[in-house]
Amino acid sequence: MPDLYAFPFVSRLFYLKDSALGEMYDTFKMEDRFPSLFKWHKAMRAKTELNDGKAIIPIKAFHNWLEELAPMPLGKKPPLRIPTKL
């Protein structure tokens, strides 16, 4: 149960790669700093029961949301919604 609870939050860290905020991913060197977390994330993504299209937010949808978020001025609140636009 803790794996399922933590997965959406942790996955967002790794979804930064190759996104509008990819520079942040590179700056923090996520894969190098947290190799065990990265390995756990890959194992969780590989589980067939999580890949039914409902449990995992598609990376493309999250990247679209980040493209909208990246140019937003500091201090402005982002829209509160689930990134579903593909």
Side-chain angles (χ1 to χ4, degrees):
M1 196 66 176
D3 286 338
L4 293 175
Y5 180 75
F7 183 78
F9 300 100
V10 173
S11 65
R12 289 180 180 103
L13 294 173
F14 295 108
Y15 287 179
L16 291 173
K17 186 177 185 176
D18 301 325
S19 74
L21 298 177
E23 185 177 317
M24 183 186 303
Y25 183 89
D26 295 336
T27 300
F28 290 114
K29 298 178 175 48
M30 302 301 287
E31 292 176 32
D32 297 336
R33 288 180 71 190
F34 306 107
S36 297
L37 191 62
F38 182 68
K39 183 178 173 183
W40 170 82
H41 180 260
K42 283 179 66 173
M44 288 294 289
R45 280 197 59 83
K47 292 186 178 287
T48 55
E49 59 270 17
L50 295 179
N51 288 313
D52 63 356
K54 297 174 189 164
I56 298 176
I57 295 172
I59 293 173
K60 177 103 173 99
F62 191 71
H63 283 184
N64 288 341
W65 184 73
L66 289 177
E67 286 174 18
E68 181 182 325
L69 183 67
M72 203 173 276
L74 288 175
K76 184 175 179 186
K77 291 184 179 180
L80 296 175
R81 59 184 164 70
I82 297 173
T84 56
K85 180 182 167 190
L86 296 175

